[in-house]
């Protein structure tokens, strides 16, 4: 009997302990700082990708290509390609090519890419092709900003959509005028990087912040010795690195994984008026304020009115439009919003307004102008 009682007590104690641990995330005072690595907030200067672009043709379409009379550059492109293959098109020949589409091909050439490696390419129609589904991209040189060819793309397109039309009816899923060719371009030329030049390297922070630049320099100096890193401004940190190539790579591998304790970022609210999206970060605070919100809607309806002439008269039937305009304004009571120092408090206060995201765009801007919102507003 005593053994059973002791087991029950031990089981109850374990359940209580598990409950406390599971609920700790709700009441434990988490620090305001976030731990990250240097590789996630900074990049080595010169180690970057390069944009490539090219003009090409997609062939093999099932009658969904460009209408060459409206897109003459498609006909010029196929004529130039045929001439390179020894085929001469008679001057003035009207070609009706429904299985060909003119496209722009874009790609990102990664840092340290070497000849022979393959990269993905994106293909986008620039004519009036209805669909690129089932097409094949023929050899297309991809050039950089300096006009040099760095890769050549070719392959079958993958289009993430489908569609069908008949007798004026049309059904379409996703986008049909663009696609991708995985591993569709072969690198022909590499881009040199200044990684092994000089006795130091430069770290460029993703965003300008003096506290972050100081934290990066301090972390490197702690791990590699005093005087190794120096913060030049809020975005640039200069680091002394070994001259040997192998030692420099090992040095970079070490410092990019150093942990950082970053301070809370500046308060910011990002607004997107086109989609109605609103994003707040954890530093946004709200001062006490009062908000009154109402909506105004204007409805205009047009009704066709037919005026029929009398019998045996020489008049004509006339169709006119009768317009009805109505205005509806909803009343809005004044709502007092309390001060909020935490993100959850700010969200709760904004939700109490009962406004749509589109209305919140205007409300947040007005609160910022009134000094009740401590945050920077960024419209994208």
């Amino acid at each position: 009997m005593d053994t059973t009682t002791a087991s029950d007590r031990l089981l109850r104690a374990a359940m209580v302990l598990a409950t406390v641990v599971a609920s700790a995330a709700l009441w434990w005072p988490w620090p305001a700082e976030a731990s990250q690595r240097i590789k996630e907030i900074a990049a080595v200067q010169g180690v970057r990708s390069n944009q490539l672009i090219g003009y090409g043709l997609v062939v093999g379409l099932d009658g969904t290509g460009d209408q060459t009379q409206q897109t003459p550059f498609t006909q010029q492109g196929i004529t130039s390609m045929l001439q390179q293959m020894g085929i001469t098109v008679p001057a003035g020949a009207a070609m009706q090519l429904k299985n060909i589409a003119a496209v722009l091909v874009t790609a990102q050439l990664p840092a340290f890419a070497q000849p022979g490696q393959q990269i993905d390419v994106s293909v986008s129609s620039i004519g009036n092709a209805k669909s690129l589904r089932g097409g094949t991209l023929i050899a297309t040189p991809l050039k950089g900003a300096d006009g040099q060819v760095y890769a050549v793309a070719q392959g079958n397109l993958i289009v993430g959509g489908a569609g069908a039309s008949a007798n004026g009816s049309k059904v379409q899923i996703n986008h049909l005028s663009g696609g991708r060719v995985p591993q569709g371009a072969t690198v022909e030329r590499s881009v040199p990087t200044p990684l092994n030049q000089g006795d130091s390297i430069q770290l460029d922070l993703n965003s300008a912040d003096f506290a972050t630049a100081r934290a990066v320099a301090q972390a490197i100096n702690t791990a590699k010795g005093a005087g190794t890193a120096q913060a030049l401004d809020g975005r640039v940190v200069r680091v002394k690195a070994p001259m040997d190539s192998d030692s420099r790579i090992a040095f970079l591998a070490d410092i990019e994984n150093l942990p950082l304790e970053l301070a809370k970022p500046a308060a910011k609210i990002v607004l997107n008026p086109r989609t109605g999206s609103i994003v707040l970060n954890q530093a946004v605070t709200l001062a006490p304020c009062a908000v009154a919100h109402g909506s105004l809607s204007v409805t205009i309806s047009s009704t066709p009115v037919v005026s029929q002439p009398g019998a045996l008269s020489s008049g004509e039937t006339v169709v006119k439009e009768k317009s009805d305009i109505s205005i509806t304004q909803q009343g809005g009571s004044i709502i007092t919003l309390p001060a909020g120092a935490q993100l959850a408090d700010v969200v709760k206060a904004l939700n109490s307004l009962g406004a749509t995201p589109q209305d919140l765009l205007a409300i947040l801007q007005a609160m910022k102008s009134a000094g009740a919102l401590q945050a920077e507003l960024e419209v994208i």
Side-chain angles (χ1 to χ4, degrees):
M1 187 68 178
D2 295 338
T3 304
T4 304
T5 304
S7 300
D8 293 342
R9 292 177 179 175
L10 183 60
L11 181 59
R12 293 193 188 97
M15 294 176 62
V16 172
L17 180 61
T19 303
V20 173
V21 173
S23 61
L26 300 177
W27 55 266
W28 186 263
W30 290 96
E33 299 179 346
S35 178
Q36 294 182 349
R37 295 176 297 177
I38 292 180
K39 65 180 351 178
E40 296 162 352
I41 63 169
V44 180
Q45 186 185 48
V47 180
R48 43 157 287 184
S49 60
N50 293 272
Q51 292 76 22
L52 303 179
I53 188 172
Y55 170 84
L57 296 173
V58 172
V59 300
L61 302 177
D62 188 14
T64 59
D66 293 338
Q67 298 179 7
T68 53
Q69 292 182 351
Q70 300 177 2
T71 55
F73 48 84
T74 305
Q75 183 174 348
Q76 294 175 4
I78 191 64
T79 300
S80 176
M81 184 193 70
L82 292 177
Q83 288 178 354
Q84 295 178 7
M85 296 181 177
I87 302 175
T88 302
V89 179
M95 295 186 293
Q96 298 296 328
L97 306 174
K98 297 183 179 181
N99 298 336
I100 299 177
V103 295
L104 281 181
V105 184
T106 57
Q108 293 282 343
L109 183 65
F112 312 118
Q114 298 300 315
Q117 294 182 344
Q118 294 181 326
I119 57 177
D120 298 343
V121 297
S122 298
V123 181
S124 304
S125 172
I126 59 175
N128 53 10
K130 298 179 181 179
S131 174
L132 299 180
R133 189 177 181 87
T136 300
L137 176 69
I138 59 177
T140 303
L142 301 181
K143 299 181 180 181
D146 56 358
Q148 301 294 327
V149 177
Y150 287 90
V152 177
Q154 181 171 290
N156 298 324
L157 268 70
I158 296 180
V159 178
S165 61
N167 300 326
S169 301
K170 181 180 179 181
V171 176
Q172 179 175 322
I173 301 175
N174 295 335
H175 203 57
L176 298 176
S177 59
R180 290 181 63 84
V181 183
Q183 304 292 304
T186 302
V187 178
E188 301 293 340
R189 179 184 308 197
S190 61
V191 178
T193 59
L195 180 62
N196 295 321
Q197 299 177 4
D199 60 348
S200 63
I201 59 175
Q202 181 172 308
L203 296 179
D204 298 332
L205 304 184
N206 298 334
S207 59
D209 185 77
F210 293 105
T212 303
R214 182 183 63 177
V216 171
Q218 290 178 349
I220 297 176
N221 289 332
T222 302
K224 298 297 182 180
T228 303
Q230 178 185 6
L232 302 182
D233 51 39
R235 188 180 287 270
V236 178
V237 178
R238 180 178 297 169
V239 183
K240 296 180 181 179
M243 297 296 296
D244 179 64
S245 176
D246 185 63
S247 300
R248 178 164 293 194
I249 295 299
F251 177 82
L252 288 174
D254 292 339
I255 67 172
E256 71 177 2
N257 288 300
L258 294 178
L260 296 174
E261 295 296 331
L262 302 181
K264 182 186 298 184
K268 178 178 288 188
I269 300 177
V270 181
L271 310 175
N272 190 338
R274 294 183 296 273
T275 61
S277 302
I278 303 174
V279 179
L280 301 80
N281 67 2
Q282 61 178 353
V284 175
T285 58
L286 184 66
C289 62
V291 178
H293 174 68
S295 61
L296 178 68
S297 61
V298 179
T299 304
I300 301 177
S301 59
S302 297
T303 304
V305 178
V306 180
S307 177
Q308 185 71 26
L312 303 178
S313 66
S314 58
E316 296 181 357
T317 302
V318 179
V319 179
K320 296 184 178 181
E321 295 286 341
K322 180 182 178 181
S323 299
D324 296 326
I325 302 176
S326 62
I327 300 177
T328 304
Q329 184 175 6
Q330 297 179 358
S333 59
I334 298 180
I335 300 177
T336 303
L337 300 184
Q342 301 293 333
L343 179 59
D345 300 332
V346 176
V347 173
K348 183 179 180 181
L350 294 177
N351 284 335
S352 66
L353 294 175
T356 64
Q358 291 291 347
D359 294 332
L360 281 177
L361 296 176
I363 295 175
L364 290 175
Q365 295 179 27
M367 294 172 63
K368 174 66 176 179
S369 300
L373 185 66
Q374 282 75 40
E376 175 189 356
L377 294 180
E378 180 180 348
V379 181
I380 60 175

